[in-house]
Amino acid sequence: MHSPTTLAELRQFAKIHNATKYPNVPTSALPVTTFTDKTANGLTNAIIYDIVNVRGGAAYRINNGATYDRAKNIYRAGVTKRGVPDIIGVLGGRFIGIEVKIGADRQSSHQREVEAEINAAGGVYFIAKTYEEYVGSLTASLR
């Protein structure tokens, strides 16, 4: 099977993958994997699934946000360097940083700085707004 280029193809891949992974489970009882690129969380999950399960790479979600401390009723700043991409991973021996943006969300100055650092070090960095855009950017970047 070729690598998925749409969310529908990714869903079909996941269905076949789950059937292979759980051969003794009846088809009706297999987990149904859903993907979306309408939310940042949904697109992040789809991209990570694709890198790990379709392409055989390693990928991780990076949480750069503040966390709420209920005991003190305050938000605590994150400890990750500002601007680190939402997804980092390795594919075919290359470092990949993917910034997920949905709707009117735009790249910050810190994210542009990290993009320049990753590119200068020989890594791959791009912004993904849809699953199809991710596939196109990944394909072009790894040629």
Side-chain angles (χ1 to χ4, degrees), residues 90-139:
V90 177
L91 187 57
R94 301 266 320 261
F95 176 86
I96 301 170
I98 304 168
E99 185 62 37
V100 174
K101 297 292 183 193
I102 298 295
D105 199 10
R106 298 288 178 253
Q107 192 179 31
S108 72
S109 61
H110 296 288
Q111 290 167 337
R112 285 190 292 278
E113 289 172 16
V114 170
E115 175 183 11
E117 293 169 1
I118 290 171
N119 289 331
V124 172
Y125 179 104
F126 59 86
I127 296 170
K129 295 183 177 186
T130 66
Y131 179 76
E132 289 80 5
E133 184 176 309
Y134 149 76
V135 171
S137 295
L138 183 68
T139 302

Side-chain angles (χ1 to χ4, degrees), residues 25 44 59 94 123:
V25 176
T44 300
R94 301 266 320 261

